[in-house]
Amino acid sequence: MHITYTFHGEPTVREFSQSEIIIGRPNPYLPPDLDLSSDITVSRTHARLWEEGGHVWIEDLCSKHGTYINEVRLEFPRQLNADDVVRVGETQLLIDVPPKTAHVNAPPSKKSDLHVQAAVNAEEEAMKAVASSKGLQRERLAVLLELPLKLASQKTFEAFQHALLEQTAQLLPASDQVTLFLRNRDNNKLELSGALSPKAAASITGLAERVFNEGRALAWRETPPDGNHRAGLYAPLVWREKVLGVLCADNNHGRSEFHQDDLRLLIAIASYAAMAVAIHRLQDAL
């Protein structure tokens, strides 16, 4: 892929051999392929470019200032045309696009309308999650404040995991499935560790892996062809700038809705869980 990017009138040309490119600035979770450090208005993980079926596609990764094509804000993954001008922050990008490219509205592999509604830096938000959640009921706040002690008091990892999943479901009543993914210490890959409702539809592994790689919490909503809405909140377990896993709360039936503060609440739960996972793994290593 051939990209020319211009910042403050200075053009730079880059060639990439891989089929997928992350645009952003240096970060400990998902280092960018196209590093635009000189532009501070570019998010750490800003946008993604990829090739599929001979075409070039682009999507915004819930960046703070957005991604624009011909000065129209990008709201969904879109195929690029040869004359499209992309802007991220204050940087303009021109991407070489095969001449046979024709514009369509969504990737050919897309089977349903899945939209990431929010992406939050979990490490920055965890400490203020409780204080800013003014809508928390007193009962939920009490459960949350007792959670660190409850998780730390579990003597086995199995007991800790069950307590975590159970308390998460109690704090997020709109969820009908709570899932924990953890990093395999041998190969660093994300693996399913446990689920509270194993008979329910599984969490979306691709989104869990995205949270794991980026270190950012996500809120998403999906409308499948059958019209049965699904939604989810996924938060990374971050400990000392390392992601240990992902905690997922899914709503598979659309009977109830997640509230505005629920994502921050899940971030707080995940931060407590990360500490407990680190302690259990340290004990196992002794």
Side-chain angles (χ1 to χ4, degrees), residues 67-126:
T67 299
Y68 293 80
I69 299 178
N70 305 323
E71 293 307 317
V72 176
R73 186 158 185 159
L74 186 64
E75 300 292 347
F76 53 86
R78 213 203 83 170
Q79 182 181 325
L80 288 175
N81 294 311
D83 56 349
D84 284 336
V85 177
V86 177
R87 179 171 63 81
V88 294
E90 297 177 4
T91 302
Q92 185 182 89
L93 296 92
L94 295 175
I95 297 100
D96 275 2
V97 176
K100 63 180 180 180
T101 298
H103 174 73
V104 294
N105 288 327
S109 59
K110 191 171 183 178
K111 297 179 181 179
S112 61
D113 183 16
L114 190 153
H115 175 58
V116 175
Q117 299 171 304
V120 180
N121 186 311
E123 208 164 14
E124 293 177 1
E125 295 290 330

Side-chain angles (χ1 to χ4, degrees), residues 190-216:
L190 195 65
E191 296 181 348
L192 177 64
S193 181
L196 188 64
S197 303
K199 293 183 180 180
S203 298
I204 299 180
T205 305
L207 280 182
E209 289 177 345
R210 173 172 166 178
V211 171
F212 179 70
N213 291 327
E214 297 180 10
R216 295 196 299 173

Side-chain angles (χ1 to χ4, degrees), residues 231-251:
L233 307 174
Y234 292 8
L237 277 64
V238 182
W239 176 251
R240 294 182 178 178
E241 297 189 347
K242 192 167 189 177
V243 180
L244 304 181
V246 179
L247 182 61
C248 305
D250 293 277
N251 179 332

Side-chain angles (χ1 to χ4, degrees), residues 1-5 12-16 18-19 21 23 34 49-52 54-58 79-86 92-102:
M1 199 178 298
H2 182 96
I3 300 175
T4 301
Y5 64 92
T12 304
V13 179
R14 289 287 307 275
E15 293 275 358
F16 297 92
Q18 67 265 38
S19 60
I21 297 168
I23 301 170
L34 180 57
L49 284 167
W50 77 98
E51 291 183 279
E52 182 178 343
H55 308 300
V56 178
W57 296 84
I58 186 170
Q79 182 181 325
L80 288 175
N81 294 311
D83 56 349
D84 284 336
V85 177
V86 177
Q92 185 182 89
L93 296 92
L94 295 175
I95 297 100
D96 275 2
V97 176
K100 63 180 180 180
T101 298

